[in-house]
Amino acid sequence: MSNQEKQRILTGITTSGTPHIGNYVGAIRPAIEASRNSDNLSFYFLADFHALIKCQDPDLVEQSTREIAATWLALGLDPEQVVFYRQSDIPEIAELCWMLNCVCAKGLMNRAHAYKAAVDANQAGGEDPDFGITMGLFSYPVLMAADILMFNANKVPVGKDQIQHVEMARDMAQRFNHLFASNKKPLLSLPEYQVDDDVAVLQGLDGRKMSKSYGNTIPLFLGEKQLREHINKIKTNLLEPGEPKDPDTATVFQIWQAFANAEQQAQMRQAFADGIAWGEAKKQLFELINAELAEPRERYNELLAKPAYIEEVLQAGAEKARQYSAPLLAQLRNSVGIRKLG
Ligand code: TRP
């Protein structure tokens, strides 16, 4: 199958923060698996323009970009097989973003969850509704639409919180086509979101959803000693060794399930029924996670020591990406009337 015929899967990773095992299980691992399916052409990119919305510490933006690129490569993403690039290396995205800004209704953005949540928080605190809200935050879904539409993506794997943004991208594509495309040939494809209900949403150390904002994460590439320490901090209850324990309410078991095969899951279930000590369950959990992550961790550390190599991979990815974005943008410019005069 030629690349032109393949189903296009596209997703972005905001480069703020360090990936944790919840990101790994919920997003990175399934995305890398999907990229191995040769019916798909995957576009995976580092959303560093999106990072600027949340993070105004330049060194952190750089560090996170390096770490996230190294993470995906260390976990086996094959840059030969997918299009792996950094958003800011594709000037066409920023340009399309402006064109979309000029067709996107402001009222649509007023309804975006992230913006509404910020307004609600301000009002609850007696502040001006738009206190501390930048245009970047407000128009964030337009940039995300540009990311998606620039590559005529068909499927966009996202978490539930991002569904609305993909729907907004569809709206913008429709509006753009309505205004500028001839009836028979739409300029922009309408994307669909893809939410995978099978992948686990991991619990964090305190039993709530694992999330940077709760400070309850297990970073993905901790050294062995620190990984063990983090696992030891997972919240349990006061049941003694020998007392049967309920796997389905235990964070230790929930994380176990995300790394274990069917047989290992059944074994641990039985061990809980037999009253395994919390300390022993955690020791086994450490061993299971460590077995999966030890090799990638080594590759990750090697990659981090070679930022010039990572940069080279990203530059090659940008070149590949621009083979798609440059011709489409030329067509879009022409269709809106930005044309050579003679
Ligand atoms: N906004 C997404 C997030 O925070 C990241 C992202 C940016 C994205 N551009 C995208 C995801 C385009 C999918 C498609 O998770």
Side-chain angles (χ1 to χ4, degrees):
M1 202 188 300
S2 85
N3 277 348
Q4 290 302 333
E5 293 164 277
K6 291 183 181 180
Q7 160 115 304
R8 295 196 188 171
I9 317 264
L10 176 143
T11 200
I13 313 106
T14 305
T15 53
S16 53
T18 300
H20 54 70
I21 64 168
N23 301 136
Y24 170 65
V25 164
I28 308 175
R29 192 172 60 185
I32 292 177
E33 269 163 30
S35 76
R36 299 201 169 116
N37 177 344
S38 59
D39 294 343
N40 299 334
L41 178 59
S42 299
F43 293 80
Y44 293 158
F45 67 96
L46 306 166
D48 55 345
F49 281 153
H50 279 94
L52 300 184
I53 298 169
K54 300 190 220 168
C55 180
Q56 280 157 352
D57 178 336
D59 292 333
L60 261 184
V61 172
E62 183 197 329
Q63 183 191 334
S64 172
T65 304
R66 197 186 310 118
E67 287 180 357
I68 292 179
T71 297
W72 284 68
L73 296 171
L75 289 168
L77 183 75
D78 178 359
E80 298 293 320
Q81 217 185 348
V82 307
V83 190
F84 182 55
Y85 55 99
R86 172 168 53 195
Q87 184 184 34
S88 62
D89 286 332
I90 315 299
E92 292 82 10
I93 293 175
E95 206 174 306
L96 175 57
C97 183
W98 182 252
M99 291 185 192
L100 296 175
N101 264 304
C102 296
V103 304
C104 177
K106 174 175 175 287
L108 185 69
M109 294 298 98
N110 289 342
R111 291 195 288 277
H113 299 316
Y115 170 67
K116 277 204 330 201
V119 169
D120 289 349
N122 279 336
Q123 280 169 333
E127 292 284 359
D128 180 89
D130 279 328
F131 176 75
I133 297 177
T134 64
M135 286 304 295
L137 176 68
F138 180 66
S139 59
Y140 164 127
V142 184
L143 178 56
M144 188 160 154
D147 292 331
I148 296 170
L149 303 178
M150 190 73 262
F151 295 95
N152 279 327
N154 309 109
K155 287 261 152 44
V156 184
V158 285
K160 290 204 177 66
D161 60 320
Q162 301 286 322
I163 290 177
Q164 186 194 36
H165 297 149
V166 182
E167 287 175 337
M168 288 175 162
R170 275 178 85 86
D171 279 1
M172 285 177 239
Q174 262 163 335
R175 181 90 192 122
F176 194 93
N177 287 338
H178 173 74
L179 288 167
F180 300 116
S182 67
N183 286 342
K184 286 190 198 67
K185 247 188 132 276
L187 288 155
L188 300 173
S189 312
L190 305 187
E192 281 172 28
Y193 63 81
Q194 191 177 43
V195 174
D196 192 343
D197 289 320
D198 295 340
V199 303
V201 176
L202 229 53
Q203 292 168 11
L205 299 177
D206 59 359
R208 291 185 292 173
K209 177 186 170 193
M210 188 176 290
S211 159
K212 194 176 70 166
S213 45
Y214 294 147
N216 64 357
T217 69
I218 301 177
L220 182 57
F221 289 132
L222 290 175
E224 286 194 6
K225 184 160 170 279
Q226 282 175 302
L227 177 59
R228 199 187 290 275
E229 284 166 5
H230 273 70
I231 290 173
N232 282 335
K233 279 191 235 153
I234 297 171
K235 194 175 149 208
T236 57
N237 58 28
L238 296 172
L239 291 174
E240 298 286 339
E243 290 186 85
K245 300 175 174 67
D246 177 15
D248 296 313
T249 54
T251 300
V252 174
F253 187 76
Q254 203 252 353
I255 301 178
W256 175 269
Q257 274 182 306
F259 286 86
N261 61 30
E263 192 187 329
Q264 291 165 322
Q265 292 188 29
Q267 276 167 3
M268 188 54 91
R269 229 172 230 294
Q270 187 58 47
F272 267 64
D274 294 343
I276 188 173
W278 287 119
E280 177 58 24
K282 286 178 174 180
K283 182 168 160 273
Q284 293 189 22
L285 178 61
F286 163 77
E287 276 155 17
L288 185 69
I289 297 183
N290 196 48
E292 184 161 330
L293 295 181
E295 259 181 51
R297 181 198 298 130
E298 211 169 299
R299 280 198 295 273
Y300 175 75
N301 289 326
E302 282 166 19
L303 282 163
L304 277 190
K306 292 190 295 186
Y309 170 76
I310 302 177
E311 185 60 37
E312 227 174 85
V313 171
L314 291 177
Q315 288 310 319
E319 199 177 308
K320 221 152 96 178
R322 294 192 70 195
Q323 288 170 11
Y324 295 89
S325 60
L328 179 57
L329 190 79
Q331 213 186 342
L332 300 179
R333 277 180 157 231
N334 185 56
S335 65
V336 300
I338 294 183
R339 300 172 184 150
K340 284 250 160 31
L341 296 180

